[in-house]
Amino acid sequence: MSAFYANYTPSQRARIVRSIQMMVLPRTANMSNMITTETGEKMVYRRYASLYFIVGLPDGANELLALEEIHLFVEVLDQYFGNVCELDIIFNFHRAYAVLFEVIMGGHIVEGSKKEAIEQITKQDVLIEEVNAANSGQRRDHSNEENGLSYTMQMQLGRRPTKQINHTLSF
Amino acid sequence: MFEKSLSDLVKGIRANKRSPSAFISASILECKKELKDSNEFVKANAIRKLTFLRMMGYEFSWANFATIEVMSSQRFGHKRVGYLSAAQSFNEDTDVILLTTNLLKKEFGSSNVYEVGLAINCLSNIVTQDLARELLPDLTQLTQHSHGYIRKKAVLCLFKLFMKYPQGLRLTFDRIKQCLDDSEPAVVSCAVNVITELADKNPKNYLLMAPHFFSLLTSSSNNWMLIKVVKLLGSLVSEEPRLARKLLEPLAAIVQNTQAKSLLYEAVYTLTLALPFAKKSDGSVSKAVPGIVELCADKLKSFVEEADQNLKYLGLVGFVSLMRSHPKAVVNHRNLILRCLCDDDVTIRSRALELLTGMVTRKNLQELVDQLMQHVRLSEGDYRDELIQKIIFMCSRDKYAFLTDFKWYISVLVVMSRLHGTEHGAMISSQIMDVATRVFPVRDFCVGKMVGLLLKSEVVMGKSKSTIWEVLHAAAWVVGEYANFIDNVDLQENVPVSLHHSLLSVLLSPSSLGLPSRTQAVFVQAAIKVFAAACNSGLTKPEQLVMCLDIFQANLPLWMKSKDIEVQERASSCYRFLTSFDLLRPLKEPELVALELEEGMSNKEGTDLEPTKVEREGNESPLADDLLGLVMSTTIETPVLSVNADSTIITSDNAGSGDGSFGRLLDTTLTERCREHARAILAVCVPEPMKPVNAKAQKRLTPPSFHGFQGSLRAGLFHDLIQEDSTVSRKRKLTIEEVSFGFFGARATMSQPSSTGTISFDETGEIGDVSTAMSGNGKDSTLKETPSQSSHLQNINCPPGDRVDGTPFYLTDSGVMGGNFSDGGDDEADADFGEIRLGASESDDDNSREGAKRPERGKGKKKKSKKKKERKTDDSFAMREDAMAIFGGDGVGVYQSDEEANGEESDEQRGGRAGGAGQEFDGLAQIDLTTPLAPDEVMPERKHREVPEHRMESPPKETRTKKKKKKKKGKREKKMKKKESTADLLDFGAANDVDVADLAEKVAERAPPALNTMGGDLLTPVSSNLQDSTVTSLNLKPDEMATLDSLASEFVTGEWAVVSTKVKNESGVANPIRVIARMLNASIVDGSVSDDGSYASLAATGKGNKRLRVLVKCKGKVIKLDFKSNSKKLAKSASKMFKELAL
């Protein structure tokens, strides 16, 4: 999952994502969470269990702030999904995005308070529920069903880290 | 029909882990079908699935239109799916983005705040210049929305709009200012965010607001925002030094009080940025500064000492920044930083290394480097390379400014060269050569080290991936060039015969043939220089000399068969050279023949060409005989030698290089001859002291005419040489000419003409043409030198002491050198180098200065250029303002002619600044908020302004590009532009009734074609235009296009009518898009060609504010046209036209 805040073509995006994976994955826990590439781009990442959250930064941005932003985002996710895990994000990627957009917009933090952000998102969800409820009854409500993870899915947990890339290169 | 849900899709992919592609492509096909479904739910679901698949790296630009359909759905749930998809997949090249304009506009007016929020968010992701221009007014409205939720998003989104549409900034900045006073903290924080980013691009605009931020800084407790405020103030500091002083205290207060590390760091970092500006105008420093520096250093230290790697890293970054203003404060923490070098994390290590590099002083350099060297031994890979690079940089920077002990440096270099697998061979080697040439006192030491390196080269060689051969190259060169120091070298170990002998055996050993050819070539050259030194040295015993010669005799033929042409050439010229002094026996005929055969054509051609060339050259054709006979005659004249040679052959053929006992016994005369010729050999091989030459200095010289190696030889060329020569030595004029020419003639056919001068030039790469030229003279005369002539050699080959005089390149002045040269002591080195450095840097300054002024020599010109510069700065200063006026005054369009004239300079200006900020922000940085809004700068209004608006856009752009390209071309154009601009003014606002079309046509008539296409937006009404274009400009006959299936669908969104048509391009018009564009007289807004066809979007404007947008997609022979217009009639008539065409 990734978001770009500058204009890139699809192939450029793919390349960036690949190179970031190459750089971040081999790093161990006792290394610092900031990377500077040869081209001068800064990368800040944070790992939560098997999830990586990576932010690209322009020169001169505050790395610690980026870490805080990541943390804020994760906290909101956590609160929203209730103990968030990889599968939550895979199956509900659209919601994860909704959360992301609520917290960070165009590479900047929009809402600094968790409570406020959660409130807004749940309100939106209520709207969606209404829409779905209005829909013909036999259609299953996907949004609810996905929250109950099956046993096998739980088993798969932590198999492979999903990369959550939130890219704010060069605003 | 049952379709997969998203979770089905995800499960399916996970179930088919091995080969998901089959499953995915099946799913994609399904999605494609589902998109055609009329049920919105199905559609939205398909889009959601596609968005997921896109995350996995698939690309679905074909789904973009469907995305828009879903976006325009009535249900919020679907909208969200659609907007998410759009935000993820649209980019500037997406064609359908044009269609979103109205959608977004409508959404902004929605009563549901979340819908508005969605739209704003989406806009922030997909914004293009067009969108930005169109939606700016709406978004600005939204910043006054009753919900804070909307306000904050709108404010933030404004920044994205500014990036694409910088002109908007001037128009709406007041709104952003108001947002700073908003009741909602999130909104304020967003506004601060925006201004922070803006200030990063062009701080000057926001200086006036500094007090406001200052109060925010002291009053606010929201850390998110405080960080931004701090950052913002930090970026303002560079524009207003007074602010820096004011800032220090509140920042220090934050540093002391805050708990949040990120804020603490930002404050400290900003402090380090502000400190350089904190000096008062009279140069004094306020009392607080030392305390603050200490505070910063303390905090940074605590960062570095933290266990958290992130803080450690940032602490180091902070130190780097602090070092710029207060290096002393950092130096105190040297040990701490050195400890970081042991860290596990490479990023931290390299950061620490960077710090250390900056901390170097004369006193601590040695200690630091010694410590670094320990790390070098322990480390590996890229990091070690970085270490080595930094060490070399530290030592050599500013012309060795920090280096006091060159001996020590040489040892360091030697140690580094012994490391396996380093990639810095080239760097080390050039350093060694540089030091050896520049610093006289350490030459003998250096030679000693190099001898050691060479003699043990087997140990070093043979490791793959190593660049050590580069170092051997330098070693060989140094040993050869300063071979006279070999006597002083005292190796610990014993050598079998003599040092010279063992050196020669290494240099010429067959195993050295495994080295790269560049190094081989230097080896050969060094060998003969070493030999010359051996002959000259009083310590060499006759037997030793003979044994040295034996090495040549045995090994040189091997080298002469090298596959590398240059090695071959040097070896054989060396061989012939020695032969000509009767020191070596010539190769026996069969050997020679074999050799020549193997060497192929090159050598033979050489001999063939000789006579002809001679004839061409000189009027002395008989010379040729002499030339050819030269080698022969020596053999004949010295029967003793040839006999001797013959006899040795028997032994050496069997026993290889063997013991030259035979020769030794036979020939005491041989050694005598060696001594006799030693001077000559020396003079030839070491013709001039090598000088390090500045690259610029070399360029400054005009290459001497007789150095045209590439060109054919001129007759006069040698004549010149001869003339010069004759002034030096009056003897045997003729032979001089003969012999020197002979040598040159033979070489001329080789890949490169051989002359010792040139060769040494190749080796060092730094030696300028000067020395080559001079040495060329020397060599010419010496090549044929007979013993009797050796006297004049002294003129050419002056004692080294004299050579140095007046050369600014050396690190020692001549006096010091003279003293040290003889005894080699450098006890006073410290003191000496103090002066030395001074001298060196001065001369260097001179050099560079001269280099810079090279184009304008002569005093008058210099003055002129100075004046020019001054004027230029003035101009460009003024220009900047002009440029801003042009830029900011969006649509003002009135140009003063002098502005025009200076236009190019402002362009340069712009270019210069763009370099730093990146093009994207170029425009943004141009905007100047300090000037009041001009009366005609008006917010673009929604209605009744389309035509003028387009035109507002075009004049500045046109003129800009024009300026770049056709600087001098005609006032006519200028006039025309002016006309156009006035037209803009007239049209501006509600003046829709003016016949724009007429005017535009007039303009178009007079404009060059380029202008025409640019102004293509302003066009005649479609209907009349159609006739026009079909008749006159297009040769498009109706039957050129015929449809099989023409399908037109039509529906209306908002007040926009959308009609789509399909036609078939039967006759296969090559570029249908162009044709369509011409038919509509529309400009192509953008377009692209991809594998599955091409598409373009066209824009045309008709009378009475009618606009038409056409999206053309060509796939194979089918052309799909989507017309979108604010007038239903226009859209219909346009589509009808194409339908008719088709029918």
Side-chain angles (χ1 to χ4, degrees):
Chain A
M1 162 170 174
S2 67
F4 288 80
Y5 297 113
N7 196 27
Y8 293 107
T9 64
S11 63
Q12 276 174 321
R13 290 184 178 197
R15 207 176 314 126
I16 292 172
V17 171
R18 251 201 319 278
S19 68
I20 292 176
Q21 286 176 9
M22 299 282 288
M23 274 189 289
V24 172
L25 285 188
R27 296 177 69 86
T28 56
N30 58 357
M31 291 180 175
S32 81
N33 295 352
M34 294 131 190
I35 315 169
T36 317
T37 62
E38 295 86 10
T39 47
E41 286 145 349
K42 269 192 289 192
M43 225 65 83
V44 175
Y45 71 94
R46 196 158 184 167
R47 183 180 169 165
Y48 292 86
S50 60
L51 285 173
Y52 280 88
F53 294 80
I54 305 167
V55 187
L57 296 173
D59 201 29
N62 185 334
E63 293 90 345
L64 283 181
L65 184 65
L67 278 180
E68 301 271 355
E69 282 172 4
I70 292 177
H71 191 68
L72 175 74
F73 175 50
V74 174
E75 275 188 355
V76 176
L77 272 185
D78 201 50
Q79 208 164 333
Y80 176 65
F81 285 109
N83 203 358
V84 69
C85 73
E86 176 198 351
L87 291 181
D88 283 325
I89 294 181
I90 294 184
F91 281 96
N92 291 299
F93 77 97
H94 50 285
R95 291 168 171 220
Y97 267 120
V99 174
L100 176 65
F101 291 153
E102 214 49 60
V103 179
I104 292 167
M105 200 185 86
H108 296 278
I109 201 123
V110 194
E111 185 51 70
S113 114
K114 271 180 287 177
K115 220 174 91 192
E116 176 76 16
I118 297 274
E119 197 185 315
Q120 305 292 357
I121 299 164
T122 33
K123 272 187 194 162
Q124 292 186 29
D125 277 345
V126 170
L127 273 175
I128 293 180
E129 302 285 324
E130 282 165 11
V131 171
N132 283 332
N135 185 19
S136 49
Q138 84 266 27
R139 191 170 299 278
R140 294 193 295 168
D141 185 2
H142 301 314
S143 50
N144 274 338
E145 152 209 62
E146 290 147 8
N147 276 345
L149 296 168
S150 73
Y151 178 71
T152 41
M153 287 178 182
Q154 295 288 359
M155 286 294 284
Q156 290 170 325
L157 247 184
R159 263 176 53 190
R160 199 189 56 167
T162 307
K163 263 132 269 136
Q164 164 105 21
I165 294 151
N166 159 21
H167 203 82
T168 59
L169 266 183
S170 63
F171 349 101
Chain B
M1 181 183 172
F2 175 74
E3 69 277 352
K4 274 193 211 119
S5 72
L6 174 68
S7 60
D8 291 335
L9 176 78
V10 178
K11 280 177 198 162
I13 292 175
R14 291 175 80 94
N16 296 299
K17 266 260 142 81
R18 291 279 156 74
S19 55
S21 51
F23 178 80
I24 289 176
S25 45
S27 310
I28 293 176
L29 274 181
E30 268 173 41
C31 290
K32 229 173 193 173
K33 261 183 228 151
E34 285 164 28
L35 283 183
K36 288 184 182 144
D37 201 305
S38 57
N39 188 329
E40 281 191 7
F41 286 88
V42 179
K43 231 180 212 176
N45 191 33
I47 287 289
R48 181 181 289 178
K49 283 191 282 183
L50 288 177
T51 313
F52 183 82
L53 289 175
R54 184 177 284 120
M55 242 164 61
M56 304 187 56
Y58 295 83
E59 191 45 48
F60 308 105
S61 49
W62 45 264
N64 283 347
F65 194 78
T67 302
I68 292 198
E69 284 174 344
V70 176
M71 277 162 79
S72 54
S73 153
Q74 294 303 309
R75 294 180 175 81
F76 181 73
H78 296 164
K79 268 186 187 152
R80 202 164 86 166
V81 173
Y83 277 111
L84 171 61
S85 171
Q88 288 304 100
S89 60
F90 288 4
N91 58 26
E92 283 206 325
D93 307 324
T94 308
D95 44 4
V96 289
I97 229 167
L98 293 170
L99 304 177
T100 59
T101 318
N102 257 50
L103 200 60
L104 288 172
K105 255 181 200 174
K106 218 173 76 188
E107 215 71 82
F108 286 161
S110 162
S111 57
N112 184 337
V113 284
Y114 297 111
E115 287 183 357
V116 184
L118 268 185
I120 296 178
N121 185 40
C122 180
L123 176 64
S124 79
N125 278 309
I126 65 172
V127 63
T128 63
Q129 197 186 358
D130 279 342
L131 276 182
R133 196 178 46 235
E134 306 263 335
L135 294 177
L136 185 66
D138 304 76
L139 204 61
T140 318
Q141 282 291 311
L142 286 180
T143 56
Q144 287 161 318
H145 200 273
S146 55
H147 277 74
Y149 179 77
I150 303 293
R151 286 202 302 271
K152 69 182 182 195
K153 288 200 165 195
V155 171
L156 211 46
C157 192
L158 272 179
F159 174 64
K160 290 296 210 180
L161 261 58
F162 296 150
M163 271 172 52
K164 299 287 178 195
Y165 181 62
Q167 294 90 326
L169 180 56
R170 276 170 71 83
L171 305 172
T172 53
F173 191 69
D174 282 342
R175 267 311 306 155
I176 297 184
K177 261 197 232 170
Q178 284 163 30
C179 284
L180 282 177
D181 303 323
D182 202 281
S183 55
E184 192 116 353
V187 181
V188 181
S189 152
C190 286
V192 170
N193 255 340
V194 172
I195 297 177
T196 309
E197 287 302 325
L198 290 173
D200 194 36
K201 315 291 178 259
N202 183 3
K204 227 173 54 208
N205 287 340
Y206 312 97
L207 275 180
L208 287 179
M209 297 165 71
H212 196 118
F213 294 120
F214 207 75
S215 63
L216 272 181
L217 182 71
T218 43
S219 63
S220 172
S221 59
N222 178 353
N223 280 348
W224 293 109
M225 193 172 75
L226 268 182
I227 290 180
K228 293 288 178 184
V229 174
V230 171
K231 194 187 259 316
L232 166 66
L233 289 171
S235 61
L236 294 187
V237 159
S238 62
E239 290 291 330
E240 178 56 274
R242 274 175 303 172
L243 190 61
R245 287 199 295 280
K246 265 191 155 183
L247 267 180
L248 291 180
E249 272 174 42
L251 281 182
I254 291 180
V255 170
Q256 272 157 342
N257 299 328
T258 185
Q259 294 298 310
K261 287 277 189 238
S262 48
L263 180 57
L264 175 62
Y265 170 68
E266 187 63 48
V268 171
Y269 189 76
T270 309
L271 271 180
T272 62
L273 289 182
L275 279 174
F277 299 99
K279 275 188 188 143
K280 284 177 187 156
S281 49
D282 54 0
S284 67
V285 180
S286 72
K287 279 176 239 154
V289 169
I292 286 169
V293 171
E294 203 173 316
L295 180 69
C296 285
D298 267 2
K299 287 291 173 189
L300 288 173
K301 183 170 158 241
S302 66
F303 270 26
V304 176
E305 280 167 349
E306 286 270 348
D308 186 351
Q309 297 282 359
N310 297 324
L311 294 180
K312 206 176 220 173
Y313 172 81
L314 290 177
L316 292 173
V317 173
F319 269 131
V320 171
S321 166
L322 182 62
M323 196 166 60
R324 274 173 222 140
S325 55
H326 294 82
K328 277 186 190 153
V330 184
V331 173
N332 293 337
H333 302 289
R334 198 172 71 219
N335 289 329
L336 181 69
I337 295 162
L338 271 173
R339 244 180 289 145
C340 293
L341 280 181
C342 310
D343 203 280
D344 290 337
D345 191 350
V346 180
T347 24
I348 291 187
R349 278 190 309 222
S350 35
R351 199 53 57 170
L353 193 58
E354 185 184 324
L355 254 181
L356 287 175
T357 328
M359 277 162 40
V360 172
T361 62
R362 290 187 72 192
K363 278 179 196 154
N364 66 12
L365 172 80
Q366 219 154 323
E367 180 196 341
L368 263 180
V369 171
D370 283 340
Q371 266 158 332
L372 288 182
M373 286 302 289
Q374 286 170 8
H375 287 285
V376 169
R377 277 179 209 111
L378 298 173
S379 62
E380 55 187 11
D382 290 347
Y383 175 63
R384 186 169 69 176
D385 285 336
E386 196 181 336
L387 265 176
I388 293 180
Q389 202 179 349
K390 284 284 190 297
I391 290 177
I392 294 181
F393 170 74
M394 280 157 79
C395 294
S396 63
R397 76 192 259 194
D398 303 336
K399 300 274 173 215
Y400 307 99
F402 297 114
L403 199 57
T404 51
D405 185 352
F406 281 92
K407 278 190 181 179
W408 165 82
Y409 184 45
I410 295 276
S411 333
V412 167
L413 287 175
V414 169
V415 170
M416 285 200 283
S417 66
R418 288 225 167 94
L419 295 167
H420 291 308
T422 53
E423 286 171 4
H424 289 93
M427 214 168 174
I428 295 173
S429 112
S430 75
Q431 284 288 306
I432 290 176
M433 277 156 75
D434 199 37
V435 172
T437 35
R438 279 169 194 265
V439 192
F440 291 97
V442 296
R443 272 189 193 162
D444 59 340
F445 178 80
C446 184
V447 168
K449 281 283 178 189
M450 294 303 112
V451 168
L453 202 62
L454 276 178
L455 292 185
K456 289 199 184 122
S457 57
E458 307 81 25
V459 189
V460 201
M461 273 156 50
K463 298 277 189 260
S464 58
K465 214 201 146 194
S466 167
T467 48
I468 188 65
W469 59 270
E470 301 254 23
V471 182
L472 289 180
H473 164 105
W477 184 82
V478 169
V479 168
E481 183 71 17
Y482 305 111
N484 47 340
F485 290 108
I486 293 180
D487 281 339
N488 306 347
V489 173
D490 179 26
L491 280 191
Q492 258 69 33
E493 307 149 43
N494 289 324
V495 284
V497 185
S498 74
L499 206 50
H500 290 109
H501 178 265
S502 30
L503 267 177
L504 281 177
S505 53
V506 168
L507 287 175
L508 291 177
S509 88
S511 63
S512 299
L513 284 168
L515 291 167
S517 51
R518 202 163 78 92
T519 310
Q520 284 184 40
V522 181
F523 269 35
V524 177
Q525 199 70 30
I528 191 154
K529 288 188 209 165
V530 169
F531 175 68
C535 298
N536 252 351
S537 154
L539 298 176
T540 337
K541 292 182 194 114
E543 311 88 58
Q544 289 172 341
L545 267 186
V546 175
M547 286 173 82
C548 290
L549 275 178
D550 285 340
I551 296 177
F552 277 101
Q553 184 75 65
N555 290 347
L556 262 187
L558 204 63
W559 290 70
M560 286 156 77
K561 289 183 193 173
S562 162
K563 64 178 194 282
D564 185 83
I565 202 83
E566 192 184 338
V567 177
Q568 204 182 90
E569 175 204 346
R570 292 196 190 200
S572 61
S573 77
C574 167
Y575 194 91
R576 287 182 190 207
F577 181 48
L578 290 176
T579 318
S580 69
F581 287 115
D582 297 349
L583 297 180
L584 291 183
R585 65 185 168 74
L587 290 178
K588 279 173 74 188
E589 273 319 298
E591 251 178 298
L592 205 58
V593 170
L595 199 65
E596 290 202 348
L597 279 180
E598 275 175 51
E599 279 174 10
M601 292 307 284
S602 59
N603 237 356
K604 265 193 185 163
E605 274 176 32
T607 32
D608 290 347
L609 282 176
E610 270 172 41
T612 43
K613 269 204 184 140
V614 173
E615 275 161 21
R616 209 184 341 134
E617 243 44 86
N619 354 353
E620 313 119 302
S621 44
L623 269 184
D625 292 335
D626 263 1
L627 271 180
L628 292 175
L630 178 70
V631 177
M632 300 264 272
S633 65
T634 48
T635 51
I636 293 161
E637 280 166 20
T638 57
V640 188
L641 184 67
S642 37
V643 170
N644 158 32
D646 280 345
S647 50
T648 33
I649 271 175
I650 303 160
T651 50
S652 64
D653 273 357
N654 298 336
S657 75
D659 51 55
S661 53
F662 215 150
R664 208 191 316 163
L665 286 178
L666 260 170
D667 228 353
T668 43
T669 51
L670 187 59
T671 41
E672 270 166 30
R673 256 206 307 279
C674 281
R675 305 247 190 237
E676 252 169 38
H677 297 308
R679 222 172 247 291
I681 300 175
L682 206 62
V684 174
C685 299
V686 196
E688 270 290 306
M690 296 299 156
K691 294 175 194 166
V693 174
N694 202 322
K696 282 175 188 162
Q698 184 184 354
K699 271 182 210 157
R700 208 162 53 220
L701 293 166
T702 44
S705 54
F706 54 87
H707 266 74
F709 293 136
Q710 260 70 35
S712 58
L713 298 173
R714 279 186 302 106
L717 184 153
F718 284 94
H719 197 65
D720 292 347
L721 281 184
I722 293 158
Q723 289 294 329
E724 279 174 47
D725 256 354
S726 59
T727 60
V728 185
S729 86
R730 310 222 158 254
K731 286 183 199 170
R732 289 183 57 194
K733 235 183 180 179
L734 261 182
T735 22
I736 289 171
E737 288 149 24
E738 289 158 22
V739 180
S740 60
F741 186 64
F743 264 81
F744 274 87
R747 301 291 127 228
T749 48
M750 296 300 228
S751 62
Q752 217 176 356
S754 128
S755 73
T756 17
T758 17
I759 287 165
S760 36
F761 172 54
D762 292 340
E763 282 162 18
T764 59
E766 298 172 342
I767 315 298
D769 278 356
V770 225
S771 65
T772 336
M774 293 197 267
S775 67
N777 280 349
K779 170 196 39 280
D780 282 348
S781 51
T782 51
L783 267 178
K784 36 45 213 190
E785 203 72 52
T786 56
S788 58
Q789 280 176 303
S790 60
S791 59
H792 100 255
L793 273 176
Q794 268 149 347
N795 300 340
I796 298 157
N797 190 16
C798 321
D802 296 352
R803 298 186 206 163
V804 189
D805 276 343
T807 56
F809 306 103
Y810 292 100
L811 282 179
T812 27
D813 58 32
S814 55
V816 172
M817 190 240 46
N820 285 346
F821 201 59
S822 47
D823 60 19
D826 57 349
D827 301 347
E828 310 148 283
D830 267 13
D832 293 344
F833 282 115
E835 304 162 31
I836 292 158
R837 199 175 54 247
L838 202 65
S841 63
E842 267 174 12
S843 66
D844 215 51
D845 282 353
D846 280 349
N847 267 347
S848 54
R849 212 179 306 139
E850 276 179 70
K853 282 181 182 163
R854 183 162 49 93
E856 322 97 20
R857 281 223 199 100
K859 278 184 183 172
K861 276 186 183 172
K862 264 182 201 170
K863 264 184 198 166
K864 207 173 173 188
S865 78
K866 232 180 219 171
K867 260 188 207 165
K868 223 181 201 172
K869 256 181 205 165
E870 277 164 29
R871 212 189 41 194
K872 211 169 186 180
T873 41
D874 284 349
D875 275 356
S876 57
F877 189 72
M879 260 324 84
R880 185 192 297 200
E881 284 175 356
D882 289 344
M884 275 169 179
I886 293 165
F887 230 93
D890 158 34
V892 181
V894 185
Y895 280 75
Q896 248 94 72
S897 54
D898 55 342
E899 278 181 7
E900 289 257 22
N902 292 331
E904 2 166 341
E905 262 172 3
S906 71
D907 268 330
E908 280 171 20
Q909 264 280 321
R910 217 172 281 146
R913 267 183 293 165
Q919 286 208 315
E920 208 170 348
F921 311 115
D922 191 15
L924 206 46
Q926 301 290 327
I927 299 300
D928 183 6
L929 286 173
T930 46
T931 55
L933 283 177
D936 41 1
E937 274 183 305
V938 189
M939 188 72 145
E941 279 167 45
R942 178 95 175 261
K943 308 251 170 177
H944 310 302
R945 56 161 248 295
E946 315 303 7
V947 173
E949 191 208 14
H950 275 273
R951 313 196 50 173
M952 291 191 314
E953 266 295 278
S954 44
K957 272 192 182 169
E958 275 166 358
T959 42
R960 239 179 24 229
T961 45
K962 278 278 124 62
K963 267 180 264 164
K964 272 181 195 159
K965 285 177 184 171
K966 310 178 181 177
K967 292 168 191 166
K968 291 177 186 172
K969 252 194 186 175
K971 289 175 183 172
R972 211 172 46 132
E973 261 176 42
K974 263 182 224 161
K975 256 187 204 166
M976 207 172 46
K977 266 178 240 151
K978 250 188 199 165
K979 199 156 195 182
E980 203 174 79
S981 331
T982 27
D984 282 344
L985 281 179
L986 289 179
D987 288 347
F988 194 86
N992 292 315
D993 296 342
V994 177
D995 196 349
V996 186
D998 271 0
L999 201 61
E1001 257 170 10
K1002 259 185 219 160
V1003 173
E1005 268 170 27
R1006 301 178 50 172
L1011 202 64
N1012 200 355
T1013 50
M1014 284 188 132
D1017 278 21
L1018 358 140
L1019 286 175
T1020 49
V1022 174
S1023 52
S1024 69
N1025 181 18
L1026 281 180
Q1027 291 168 348
D1028 251 34
S1029 52
T1030 28
V1031 177
T1032 57
S1033 57
L1034 302 183
N1035 297 325
L1036 191 78
K1037 290 161 208 149
D1039 50 333
E1040 235 176 74
M1041 283 188 167
T1043 49
L1044 284 187
D1045 59 339
S1046 118
L1047 172 143
S1049 62
E1050 172 193 319
F1051 57 97
V1052 181
T1053 15
E1055 74 257 92
W1056 281 77
V1058 180
V1059 183
S1060 44
T1061 316
K1062 268 188 188 171
V1063 291
K1064 194 148 187 182
N1065 183 2
E1066 278 277 270
S1067 52
V1069 173
N1071 194 342
I1073 291 175
R1074 180 84 40 89
V1075 174
I1076 292 165
R1078 263 194 273 156
M1079 286 174 72
L1080 292 171
N1081 215 349
S1083 65
I1084 298 178
V1085 177
D1086 68 355
S1088 84
V1089 179
S1090 60
D1091 291 339
D1092 49 354
S1094 52
Y1095 74 85
S1097 48
L1098 315 178
T1101 314
K1103 213 173 192 176
N1105 191 27
K1106 284 175 188 167
R1107 286 186 298 157
L1108 182 68
R1109 288 270 158 100
V1110 192
L1111 190 66
V1112 191
K1113 287 181 185 170
C1114 308
K1115 194 175 177 182
K1117 291 196 166 182
V1118 182
I1119 301 171
K1120 192 182 175 208
L1121 295 152
D1122 290 323
F1123 294 96
K1124 196 181 140 201
S1125 172
N1126 53 357
S1127 146
K1128 201 169 170 182
K1129 210 174 140 196
L1130 181 59
K1132 268 188 173 174
S1133 70
S1135 82
K1136 202 175 153 201
M1137 172 185 92
F1138 279 95
K1139 251 191 263 177
E1140 277 166 7
L1141 258 187
L1143 287 171

